Amino acid sequence: LVSVADGTSEGVVCWWHMSDGRVLGVHDGLLVEYDDETLAPLGVVVDKQQMEGREVVITDSGKVVMLVKETEDGITTEVVHPNDDGSYWRKFQRNKLARTREKEREA
């Protein structure tokens, strides 16, 4: 459980090795997916704005990622679903490493 609700976890770094082999981490208030071999960042899963006031919860032995927020009205949860390819990061643009590898295969 990692809380970013009070803003004090801005410098907190946490890593989770998910049951499917994916690696997620909180860094600088962002939830980020990392390469499982090199631990290089692949992309942002949840940005700072979405993380504000929420806690990251990894449940079911690393199978489910949830964002939890406690308010006066109660607790709200949001499940972070993986993409069709199994990755979690949001693809705003294609990853440079993926593009480079694709071009190498084509050559």
Side-chain angles (χ1 to χ4, degrees), residues 23-62:
V23 178
L24 299 179
V26 171
H27 185 80
D28 287 336
L30 302 166
L31 181 60
V32 179
E33 182 173 358
Y34 294 89
D35 181 80
D36 61 335
E37 293 178 19
T38 64
L39 297 181
L42 295 174
V44 175
V45 178
V46 181
D47 65 22
K48 284 184 182 184
Q49 184 178 6
Q50 293 172 308
M51 287 285 291
E52 190 173 321
R54 297 181 178 197
E55 297 174 337
V56 177
V57 179
I58 309 295
T59 63
D60 200 17
S61 301

Side-chain angles (χ1 to χ4, degrees), residues 17-20 58-65 79-80 82 88:
H17 293 268
M18 305 296 287
S19 63
D20 60 2
I58 309 295
T59 63
D60 200 17
S61 301
K63 294 181 183 176
V64 179
V65 181
V79 176
V80 178
Y88 287 91

Side-chain angles (χ1 to χ4, degrees), residues 4 10 21 24 31 35-36 43 56 61-62 69 71 83 97 102:
V4 290
E10 185 76 20
L24 299 179
L31 181 60
D35 181 80
D36 61 335
V56 177
S61 301
K69 183 174 187 173
T71 64
N83 299 317
L97 178 62
E102 185 176 280

